């Protein structure tokens, strides 16, 4: 709907807004007296759904000429995109302009949902790649500290014991994952970030404190993981074992390849 796009404004922060009196005619209402109640119904709909209307519908004033160089102040509203959508949904369905506005905002909402999903997918794939590099870094630091290859699984399991309060196998069981599934491939961005931070911190600590010996390295790895867990909980986050399982990362990569041309699938993960 070109007229709605033309009437759109952007504030200094880039947020979109419309003036109620400008969209009045676009929505097919000849008089303000008939249109303002529709704005009120949209505000009531927000309150019913636990949304503060003042965040989307802001009353202001507009000076208009009334003849003989005189001016009169009229009621006006700043409207967010969400407010305009609800006004369209609460408008007279017999008006073709309302039907067009509903279709416009529905299509725009779907486009934004897709955009948000792509952003989330990209963030998760990026974090998964970072975790792969962090895994290699902390494995190297553990090896330098004296952790033999056959004890690397014990070293990494200490991270799960400290961060999740249980072994990696128990984490999989609690999240309903198969024994052969890679935990990192089913983590969301927050959970990946927690593991990434712990591994980077552990790698730096092992080297900085010149940790030597398998027992000491494994113990230090677990202690660092416990501190990361405490930080998450103290900051108000759910502990990692309670974070939801996400769809397999390979499906996310495949979806991104279809939606974002030029995005390459990542190589197999650790």
């Amino acid at each position: 709907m070109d007229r709605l796009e033309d009437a759109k404004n952007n504030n200094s922060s880039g947020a979109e807004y419309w003036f109620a009196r400008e969209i009045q005619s676009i929505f097919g209402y000849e008089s303000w007296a008939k249109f303002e109640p529709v704005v009120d119904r949209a505000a009531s709909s927000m309150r019913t759904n636990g949304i503060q209307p003042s965040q989307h519908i802001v009353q202001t004033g507009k000076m208009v000429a009334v003849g003989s160089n005189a001016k009169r102040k009229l009621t006006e509203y700043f409207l967010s995109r969400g407010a305009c959508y609800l006004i369209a949904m609460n408008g007279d369905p017999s008006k073709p302009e309302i039907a067009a506005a509903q279709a416009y905002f529905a299509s725009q909402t779907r486009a934004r949902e897709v955009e948000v999903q792509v952003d989330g997918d990209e963030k998760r794939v990026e974090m998964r790649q970072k975790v792969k590099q962090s895994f290699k870094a902390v494995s190297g630091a553990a090896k330098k500290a004296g952790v033999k290859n056959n004890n690397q699984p014990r070293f990494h399991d200490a991270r799960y014991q400290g961060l999740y309060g249980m072994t990696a196998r128990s984490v999989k069981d609690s999240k309903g994952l198969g024994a052969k599934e890679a935990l990192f491939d089913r983590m969301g961005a927050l959970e990946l970030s927690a593991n990434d931070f712990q591994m980077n911190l552990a790698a730096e600590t092992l080297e900085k404190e010149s940790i030597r010996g398998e027992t000491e390295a494994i113990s230090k790895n677990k202690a660092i993981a416990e501190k990361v867990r405490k930080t998450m909980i103290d900051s108000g986050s759910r502990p990692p074992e309670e974070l939801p399982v996400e769809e397999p990362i390979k499906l996310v990569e495949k979806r991104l390849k279809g939606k974002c041309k030029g995005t390459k699938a990542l190589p197999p993960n650790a």
Side-chain angles (χ1 to χ4, degrees), residues 43-165:
S44 296
S45 178
M46 289 182 185
R47 279 189 288 269
T48 300
N49 288 281
I51 300 172
Q52 181 58 251
S54 62
Q55 296 178 358
H56 298 270
I57 302 174
V58 180
Q59 185 171 333
T60 182
K62 181 178 182 179
M63 301 300 295
V64 298
V66 293
S68 301
N69 295 321
K71 290 187 176 182
R72 181 161 61 97
K73 188 175 183 180
L74 301 179
T75 300
E76 177 64 288
Y77 297 98
F78 294 111
L79 305 173
S80 70
R81 175 175 287 272
C84 289
Y85 173 73
L86 284 175
I87 290 171
M89 296 305 294
N90 282 277
D92 183 350
S94 67
K95 293 180 179 293
E97 295 90 348
I98 286 293
Q102 290 175 351
Y104 167 82
F105 284 111
S107 65
Q108 291 291 309
T109 298
R110 177 54 185 160
R112 284 177 175 273
E113 288 174 350
V114 170
E115 183 179 340
V116 168
Q117 183 185 56
V118 169
D119 288 344
D121 286 349
E122 288 178 340
K123 180 179 180 181
R124 186 178 166 210
V125 168
E126 180 182 354
M127 280 305 309
R128 179 63 184 94
Q129 184 68 354
K130 286 183 64 178
V131 162
K132 179 183 177 182
Q133 300 304 320
S134 300
F135 185 92
K136 290 180 179 178
V138 76
S139 296
K143 186 174 182 178
K144 186 176 179 180
V147 179
K148 297 181 177 63
N149 289 338
N150 63 338
N151 270 330
Q152 284 279 348
R154 280 186 58 209
F155 174 81
H156 289 290
D157 202 56
R159 180 181 69 259
Y160 288 106
Q161 292 176 38
L163 192 55
Y164 293 78

Side-chain angles (χ1 to χ4, degrees), residues 44 167 202 205 215 246 266:
S44 296
T167 64
T205 301
T215 300
E246 301 291 344
L266 298 177

Side-chain angles (χ1 to χ4, degrees), residues 190 227-239:
L190 176 58
K227 289 181 180 179
V228 173
R229 175 185 176 84
K230 184 177 185 301
T231 299
M232 290 182 69
I233 295 173
D234 289 348
S235 65
S237 171
R238 286 180 289 175

